[in-house]
Amino acid sequence: MSAISLSRFIITDLTSPSSLPPTPSHIWRFSSTCPSPFSKSPSCPHLSLTKPRKTLVFAKSSEEAELSAAADEWLKKLPEKKQPLYAHSLPCVEAWLRQLGFYQSKDDRAVWFVEKLDWHAQLSLDVTDLYIRYLKSGPGNLEKDVERRFSYALSREDIENAILGGP
């Protein structure tokens, strides 16, 4: 499952041509055998609409693009992998976690989640340590949540290898 942060959704009523989002003309091509994509013509059952349908259209916000650019800048500033994690700034650590596939909790900025094919985990950035909890509710056959703690004195490389190694 992927995370969507700082994005907006537009609900579009597909029965009304005036409510369609502006798109390039090559996207909205319909077969010439069908009279109109908005008609209830039985000659085009794949386009006939008996009741209004709504769909979500993803639209990137300018804030999201700015955050992505900022994260790229912080990734460029990452210290060497052999450096202890305490030598990294918080924005660098956050950019690194995003690069590994983690997404930040909306409720607590110190909590991050990741969903891999074999396991799901929750990572917490504490004052003195980094905690990772592999969740039994995710895929795999864990009997209970498995929690590990890593000191910020460990290198980023060691922590990354241990975390991505899974439970």
Side-chain angles (χ1 to χ4, degrees):
M1 181 173 161
S2 63
I4 300 174
S5 62
L6 295 174
S7 299
R8 59 190 163 110
F9 289 95
I10 303 167
I11 297 180
T12 306
D13 182 354
L14 292 178
T15 61
S16 169
S18 64
S19 69
L20 289 173
T23 58
S25 59
H26 69 277
I27 293 177
W28 296 102
R29 287 195 183 145
F30 297 97
S31 168
S32 60
T33 59
C34 296
S36 164
F38 304 104
S39 71
K40 295 181 182 178
S41 168
S43 64
C44 280
H46 64 282
L47 289 177
S48 73
L49 302 172
T50 56
K51 63 180 184 175
R53 291 187 326 170
K54 298 203 182 235
T55 187
L56 295 176
V57 178
F58 177 73
K60 268 194 168 183
S61 69
S62 60
E63 282 183 58
E64 185 178 24
E66 288 174 22
L67 283 175
S68 178
D72 289 342
E73 286 299 315
W74 286 111
L75 283 174
K76 292 176 188 173
K77 296 177 183 180
L78 274 175
E80 291 181 29
K81 285 184 146 198
K82 300 283 185 194
Q83 292 291 317
L85 204 58
Y86 65 69
H88 296 60
S89 67
L90 181 59
C92 282
V93 170
E94 291 177 340
W96 167 65
L97 289 172
R98 282 188 190 92
Q99 182 185 38
L100 294 180
F102 284 82
Y103 58 95
Q104 198 169 29
S105 167
K106 289 180 173 60
D107 300 326
D108 186 349
R109 294 183 48 92
V111 175
W112 295 74
F113 299 97
V114 68
E115 296 172 357
K116 300 292 183 180
L117 292 175
D118 299 335
W119 48 267
H120 294 172
Q122 173 185 331
L123 182 140
S124 300
L125 299 172
D126 193 36
V127 176
T128 58
D129 297 304
L130 179 148
Y131 292 88
I132 184 131
R133 177 180 295 224
Y134 300 97
L135 306 171
K136 78 173 190 174
S137 60
N141 55 358
L142 293 177
E143 293 180 17
K144 62 180 182 174
D145 289 357
V146 175
E147 186 170 297
R148 295 192 181 139
R149 177 178 60 97
F150 301 100
S151 167
Y152 292 131
L154 292 171
S155 72
R156 185 177 89 236
E157 181 179 44
D158 289 342
I159 293 174
E160 181 175 323
N161 290 336
I163 288 171
L164 296 180

